[in-house]
Amino acid sequence: MATELKKGPLPTDIEETVITIMREEGVRYITAKILRMRLESKYQMEFGPHKAAIDDIVARAMQRPEFKKQLELALKEKDASKSSGGKGSKRARSAGAEAPSKTKKEMTEKPKKPADYPKPAVSSYLLFVADQREELKAKNPGMQNTAILQTLGKMWSDASDDVKEHYRKKAEEDKARFRREVDEYKRQGGKEYGRGGKIKKDSNAPKRAMTSFMFFSSDFRSKHSDLSIVEMSKAAGAAWKELGPEERKVYEEMAEKDKERYKREMAALPK
């Protein structure tokens, strides 16, 4: 079975790992929860106690050209939306007009969250940026967006612990607000959405049964926490193939019991 996450100091390569994850997830979509889960999966250790340090690493990373460009594009789109009147005026302009037929691109696009879905929670750093950006632009009317974002990143890095704590509290409040609004949205018959516009699985639904290989992988991962995710997958697959019938039987029995557990829990759900 998987072992409990260990506690300890930040790994020496943590900054490089954070940057890699930010590249893979994208600045516009990554959240503190996703980052923490990815880090815990890689290092098999708790990162909750290191939240402040991780926030600082993210702030420094945001000064890199590749991430500043992503954030700059997101902010430009936000500004464009404001200047065009937002979603409301767009609907008003299209009222009564015949909907155009979908293009091939539109038909293959991933589903999007409904327009009335609650606004996602914002991180402490982005709340800081939102508060400081307009004032900085007003004081420096000729400053380019890239320079503005670079300055904001440095301002966040240099900010006092009290200032950062202020925004972390605001971020927690916004996270709680989002949770409340999503719960209310679900009570009114809506679905909860995750990243990419995909409908999120019901958190109250029974956990799906694990296969024998999944049980084996969990054991294997607990004994080889030094491997990366890719290395772990390859090594576990190779080790599974080498198992004899008697060794596999242990995991097959575990899988069978878990399958029965899943059936019982599904049967107990209200109809």
Side-chain angles (χ1 to χ4, degrees):
M1 301 293 290
T3 57
E4 185 178 351
L5 294 176
K6 60 187 178 183
K7 297 181 180 179
L10 284 174
T12 55
D13 63 339
I14 185 64
E15 191 153 352
E16 179 182 348
T17 301
V18 168
I19 290 172
T20 298
I21 294 173
M22 289 174 67
R23 284 173 179 156
E24 293 174 352
E25 298 288 344
V27 169
R28 299 177 68 179
Y29 304 107
I30 193 168
T31 64
K33 182 178 180 180
I34 290 172
L35 179 59
R36 177 177 56 77
M37 290 175 65
R38 291 283 304 271
L39 290 173
E40 288 179 350
S41 175
K42 176 178 173 61
Y43 296 105
Q44 290 296 296
M45 65 173 284
E46 290 184 2
F47 279 84
H50 302 297
K51 185 177 184 302
I54 296 299
D55 282 351
D56 287 340
I57 291 173
V58 171
R60 288 197 298 273
M62 287 302 299
Q63 297 185 51
R64 299 171 71 94
E66 61 187 293
F67 299 136
K68 285 191 292 186
K69 186 175 181 180
Q70 290 183 38
L71 185 57
E72 184 179 350
L73 288 172
L75 292 172
K76 280 184 177 179
E77 290 179 6
K78 184 177 180 181
D79 288 344
S81 176
K82 286 182 179 179
S83 62
S84 64
K87 295 178 180 177
S89 62
K90 186 176 181 180
R91 286 196 295 269
R93 288 195 300 272
S94 61
E98 184 178 349
S101 58
K102 289 186 177 181
T103 64
K104 184 176 181 180
K105 179 181 178 182
E106 289 172 332
M107 293 177 68
T108 56
E109 282 181 343
K110 292 181 179 179
K112 295 181 180 179
K113 299 174 186 176
D116 61 345
Y117 192 73
K119 181 182 177 182
V122 181
S123 69
S124 54
Y125 173 68
L126 289 180
L127 285 170
F128 173 82
V129 168
D131 277 356
Q132 303 296 326
R133 183 168 176 260
E134 293 305 318
E135 182 179 349
L136 186 61
K137 285 177 66 177
K139 291 180 179 178
N140 303 274
M143 185 180 285
Q144 298 294 318
N145 274 336
T146 302
I148 289 175
L149 293 174
Q150 184 175 9
T151 302
L152 288 169
K154 189 174 188 308
M155 287 170 62
W156 174 257
S157 295
D158 295 341
S160 67
D161 291 341
D162 288 342
V163 170
K164 290 182 178 179
E165 183 60 25
H166 167 72
Y167 284 100
R168 289 187 186 114
K169 286 181 178 178
K170 288 183 68 174
E172 287 299 321
E173 291 171 0
D174 196 40
K175 183 178 178 181
R177 181 273 311 163
F178 176 62
R179 186 67 261 167
R180 288 195 304 271
E181 292 182 2
V182 168
D183 289 342
E184 179 60 28
Y185 187 81
K186 289 168 66 178
R187 277 193 290 272
Q188 294 179 10
K191 299 289 186 180
E192 183 171 356
Y193 290 78
R195 290 180 62 247
K198 294 182 179 180
I199 295 177
K200 208 171 183 180
K201 293 180 180 178
D202 186 354
S203 58
N204 296 318
K207 183 180 178 182
R208 286 189 174 277
M210 291 173 61
T211 64
S212 53
F213 176 67
M214 290 169 71
F215 276 110
F216 170 77
S217 295
S218 180
D219 267 351
F220 188 87
R221 184 167 56 249
S222 68
K223 299 170 185 175
H224 301 82
S225 58
D226 57 318
L227 298 178
S228 68
I229 295 175
V230 175
E231 292 171 337
M232 185 80 69
S233 298
K234 290 181 178 179
W240 175 253
K241 290 179 180 179
E242 296 297 323
L243 285 186
E246 289 302 315
E247 293 173 304
R248 285 200 181 199
K249 187 177 180 181
V250 175
Y251 298 103
E252 288 168 353
E253 289 176 350
M254 293 169 70
E256 190 60 34
K257 288 181 180 179
D258 200 39
K259 184 178 179 181
E260 292 301 318
R261 183 272 312 162
Y262 179 68
K263 286 182 179 179
R264 289 195 305 272
E265 293 180 0
M266 286 296 292
L269 288 176
K271 303 299 182 183

